[in-house]
Every structure is written in structure tokens, then in C-alpha cells.
Amino acid sequence: MHIVLFCATNRGLEFLLKLRACCPDDELTVVSFREETWEPPFLDRIRCAATEAGATFIERRNGSSQTSELWTRPVDLAFMVSWRYLIPMHLLDRAKLGAVVVHDSLLPAYRGFSPTVWAMVNGEPECGATMIHATAEVDAGDIIDQVRIAIAPDDVIATVMDRVTAGYLTMLERNIDLLKSGRAPRMRQDPKLATFTCKRTPGDNLIQWHHPLTRVHNLIRAVGRPYTGAFTFHNGAKLTVWKARIDASARTFVGAIPGRVVEIRPGHGVVVLTGDGSLLVETVQPEGGPEVCAADLITSVSTQLG
């Protein structure tokens, strides 16, 4: 059997390793692309893993004309994991047993880009992962399987991503035999329940201090490592905020200016006002400098961030 995996990011790498473990004797072709400059590197790791797994590796940014050599050969089953480019259905239809997309949300909710990040930004108590049959409409295919993932109020994106990735691998392991035999489930999505997310860029991580406290906190924990981090400006220079927490002991201000530093806590951080509360900013990093305790960099309560 010839299986094709279109993948990217560390999640795609983990999926590749699990796929090979589940299908040690099948022919495997892996397609990936070069990461953006602001992303954690993944292409070379995927290339190396594919080679070590005895797979054919192709570097391309889409799955159509640039991979014509792939589609001239018989393909039995195709997977798309963290794949960002449209592959025409007339090509995917050549996969005899179908094409499968794995998406990190509880479809039909959060169709589109960066659904786990958006779920955390929006303060959702859970997210998930869904395996679907590919269709021409993005993320709209019939559901094969689904896993729910809890999000605690203080979880950071790296922790949640690890749980979602584990969900991907669980769904692969429990459905691979059904997929290879053409017996995978089909549960129709209700389009009336569909919600959508737009693509995020690093500029979207700018902290808006006038937003509510929980939304500012949610942004910081949603776009931390492995992403580029939420940021603000300090004395006109970019300042990344890596760690912050809501502090119930913070004073209540009735004369408030969002973004104003109102308390310095040596060894712990600085308290910054938001639209409706106070946030303890703990760890920051000035552009071109090291990561430090916020109280080591910001030493005045007259400081205005943003």
C-alpha cells in the first residue's frame, strides 16, 4: 500500500513517526515545506525522519502542479497534518481509499487557521482534535473521529499543543486499520454549527492593554513558545511578555490608565493595569536582549507600556 503524508510543524513530525510505527511495511511518501522565518524550524527534522523511516521525501509548498511526479503514481491513502495549502480535490480523489485531514478543533467549531491559539485567546475551557474525510470545502468533511482536550485557566500553549498532538496520534492508532480497509466512519458535520478563524500573523500578538484582564492574560499564554510571544512597547522598543498571571491580591484601581505600571515587586515582576484589572507581568525579553524578570527591567511606577 502507498500512503502519502502532507505535513508540517512538530505535530507533523510526530504523526509521521506514529504512522510509520503503525504501517511499517507500507510504502510511504512524505511532503513538507520550509517554515516561515518566525516559526520554529521543522522541515529539516521532517526530512531526516522521513529518510530514516525509509520514506520518499518531497519538499514543496503545495500539493498540485509542483508535485505532479507524486500524482502520476498510484496512491492508496493520503493524510494532511498541519498542512496549509489547498490540494485540489481532483488530485485527492486519486487516493483509492480516500484522503484524510486532521484538524485541531472540535469541528464544526473553529474551522480555519490556528484553532488552538484562537480557542485559548477566546478563553475556551476546551479544544480538541478531529479527523475528517477531505472535501473541497476546508474543514467541512465527514468526521471519522474526535478527541476532546481540556484547557485549564493557567495552561500555556505548549502544554495544550502537546495534548492535542497526543489526540492526533490516538486517533491515527485507533483508525488506521479502518482507513486501510475502506471502513472508516462518516459522521456528517452540521454546517449551522460551523465557526471560523482567520490566519494569525506575529503582529496580531500585540498586547492591547485596554482589553479586559482575562483577554490580555489569555493572549500571553496562547502565543508563547513555541510561537513568537505576546509583545508590547517599553520606551519605544519592543518588549516580549513570556509569562504573566492574574493576581487576586492586586489592588483595585478606580483611577486607571491601561498599560500603566502601578507596582514593582522585586524578584517577581511588575503589576500592569488592563481595561478592568491588574496583571502581574513576570518574565519579559527586550528585543535583542535576554529574558529577565520584569522587575529587573522596569523600575518605575510611572512607566507606560504599549
Side-chain angles (χ1 to χ4, degrees):
M1 179 171 289
H2 180 202
I3 301 174
V4 177
L5 170 62
F6 297 90
C7 68
T9 75
N10 185 64
R11 179 171 293 154
L13 172 63
E14 294 295 324
F15 196 92
L16 162 60
L17 297 175
K18 175 63 76 171
L19 180 61
R20 176 47 91 199
C22 291
C23 307
D25 300 321
D26 290 313
E27 181 184 359
L28 180 60
T29 298
V30 178
V31 186
S32 191
F33 52 84
R34 178 67 63 183
E35 60 276 351
E36 302 290 345
T37 56
W38 47 267
E39 289 185 287
F42 57 78
L43 176 65
D44 292 338
R45 296 177 65 205
I46 291 175
R47 186 200 312 272
C48 181
T51 301
E52 291 179 356
T56 299
F57 180 80
I58 300 172
E59 180 184 347
R60 295 290 186 271
R61 293 195 80 85
N62 64 48
S64 55
S65 60
Q66 294 183 18
T67 53
S68 57
E69 72 274 22
L70 166 63
W71 297 106
T72 57
R73 300 171 50 228
V75 174
D76 295 291
L77 184 62
F79 289 95
M80 284 158 282
V81 176
S82 296
W83 189 256
R84 302 170 189 167
Y85 302 99
L86 179 66
I87 303 175
M89 281 306 301
H90 75 271
L91 294 178
L92 292 178
D93 285 341
R94 297 184 187 181
K96 297 175 184 177
L97 296 171
V100 175
V101 176
V102 193
H103 181 73
D104 50 329
S105 82
L106 295 171
L107 291 173
Y110 284 82
R111 293 180 182 177
F113 297 91
S114 305
T116 303
V117 172
W118 278 113
M120 293 185 67
V121 166
N122 292 338
E124 298 282 7
E126 67 175 3
C127 60
T130 306
M131 179 178 282
I132 61 173
H133 295 275
T135 58
E137 185 180 353
V138 176
D139 299 331
D142 290 345
I143 294 173
I144 299 168
D145 199 358
Q146 200 164 65
V147 175
R148 308 185 86 87
I149 308 293
I151 305 176
D154 292 320
D155 276 340
V156 294
I157 186 64
T159 301
V160 178
M161 285 175 65
D162 285 346
R163 294 179 196 148
V164 174
T165 298
Y168 274 46
L169 305 185
T170 295
M171 290 189 296
L172 173 62
E173 193 168 27
R174 67 191 184 195
N175 289 284
I176 187 63
D177 290 340
L178 293 172
L179 289 164
K180 290 175 68 174
S181 63
R183 297 180 293 113
R186 282 186 174 273
M187 295 171 280
R188 184 177 177 274
Q189 294 188 44
D190 184 347
K192 295 179 181 178
L193 300 178
T195 57
F196 301 86
T197 61
C198 65
K199 184 177 181 179
R200 295 187 65 89
T201 67
D204 299 321
N205 297 347
L206 174 64
I207 298 171
Q208 306 287 347
W209 293 106
H210 64 276
H211 282 172
L213 173 60
T214 54
R215 187 165 183 87
V216 174
H217 182 235
N218 287 344
L219 174 67
I220 293 168
R221 65 195 187 97
V223 299
R225 293 185 177 94
Y227 298 117
T228 56
F231 68 94
T232 186
F233 288 91
H234 173 234
N235 293 334
K238 183 179 178 180
L239 183 70
T240 300
V241 178
W242 289 117
K243 186 179 179 183
R245 64 182 172 89
I246 296 174
D247 184 359
S249 69
R251 294 172 293 177
T252 300
F253 279 77
V254 293
I257 300 174
R260 180 66 54 84
V261 176
V262 293
E263 186 180 350
I264 311 296
R265 297 184 186 177
H268 296 280
V270 299
V271 178
V272 184
L273 296 181
T274 68
D276 64 354
S278 305
L279 185 72
L280 178 61
V281 174
E282 298 174 292
T283 307
V284 298
Q285 184 174 12
E287 192 166 22
E291 185 177 324
V292 297
C293 173
D296 293 339
L297 181 71
I298 302 169
T299 58
S300 171
V301 292
S302 63
T303 300
Q304 179 71 32
L305 300 180

